[in-house]
Amino acid sequence: MNRIKILIATALLALSFGASAQYSQLGPKNEFMFKAEAGYAPFMGNYGKLGPNGYNLSHYESAANLNVMAGINISQDWFLGFGVGGNYYHSFKIKDAQSLIGANAFIDFDFRPIWKAVMGVDYQPTTIKWAPLMGARAGGSILMADQMLFTPMVEAYGGINWYYAHGLRNMGHNWHSFYATLGVAYMQQTFFLPIRVGWRW
């Protein structure tokens, strides 16, 4: 009888250690994260009220940009954070156009849905490499011209997200990824088509 009690106690103890170890691997559902990205935004068109010198960017300027963001990764699929970035505006069409520098400050939101469905039942896979990416950002844009020009900035984008260290879902290293996006942005009375690559860690 004592041997049976010892075996049961040992089995229960082993199960409790196993459950504790699995819980520790899952970790918290939210994590503070950074994003960094580089991109190029070709000129699409001007829109807005003309000033004394025309549009704020009136020479078909495109923009090269760098952005950094910090925020909260929520339950693997969501990110909400604050970002700042720098823009270098230049024109290929008008050779005499002066290059300009600008800066943005914005709220960034993205969603990486990785739920799958089998026979109508949703589940979360234990491993994943790729996920679609959708997001938006809104904030303000400053143009360093003769007079500093400030306008609102909005953007919507979509792309692909690659978990380069894919493993058990909700493990910290699984949240780290590279991504590429294509979007539409409006700032400084100009529509752009931003193309970006980034790193999330």
Side-chain angles (χ1 to χ4, degrees):
M1 190 69 176
N2 286 336
R3 285 185 178 180
I4 294 174
K5 288 182 179 179
I6 292 172
L7 286 173
I8 292 172
T10 304
L12 290 173
L13 192 60
L15 286 173
S16 66
F17 280 140
S20 299
Q22 185 174 1
Y23 178 79
S24 66
Q25 286 180 342
L26 290 176
K29 290 193 173 186
N30 305 329
E31 182 179 343
F32 185 78
M33 297 200 79
F34 291 97
K35 290 167 62 177
E37 59 188 27
Y40 189 75
F43 171 87
M44 290 181 65
N46 291 118
Y47 179 81
K49 185 177 179 181
L50 289 168
N53 299 316
Y55 293 110
N56 292 356
L57 297 171
S58 56
H59 298 103
Y60 308 99
E61 287 94 339
S62 296
N65 54 68
L66 293 171
N67 296 320
V68 292
M69 289 140 280
I72 302 295
N73 203 62
I74 305 167
S75 296
Q76 175 89 14
D77 299 344
W78 308 82
F79 175 85
L80 178 63
F82 177 76
V84 294
N87 297 319
Y88 174 74
Y89 300 99
H90 65 97
S91 176
F92 285 118
K93 289 191 175 182
I94 301 177
K95 302 299 182 183
D96 297 334
Q98 180 183 4
S99 297
L100 298 168
I101 300 294
N104 297 335
F106 53 88
I107 300 295
D108 180 50
F109 162 80
D110 74 43
F111 175 51
R112 304 174 309 284
I114 62 174
W115 287 83
K116 295 186 177 181
V118 175
M119 299 177 66
V121 178
D122 288 337
Y123 77 99
Q124 294 173 306
T126 56
T127 62
I128 190 161
K129 293 182 182 180
W130 301 92
L133 171 65
M134 298 170 285
R137 53 188 62 162
S141 172
I142 296 174
L143 183 65
M144 313 295 183
D146 295 334
Q147 295 181 346
M148 291 182 64
L149 302 171
F150 177 82
T151 69
M153 176 214 115
V154 292
E155 179 179 338
Y157 58 88
I160 191 75
N161 189 84
W162 174 49
Y163 293 99
Y164 58 84
H166 59 282
L168 289 176
R169 182 180 170 79
N170 287 331
M171 289 184 67
H173 69 268
N174 192 35
W175 295 4
H176 300 180
S177 62
F178 293 111
Y179 60 89
T181 62
L182 174 66
V184 176
Y186 179 75
M187 59 186 172
Q188 297 299 333
Q189 300 179 311
T190 307
F191 281 102
F192 295 96
L193 189 72
I195 304 163
R196 298 196 177 98
V197 292
W199 179 32
R200 179 194 316 273
W201 78 97

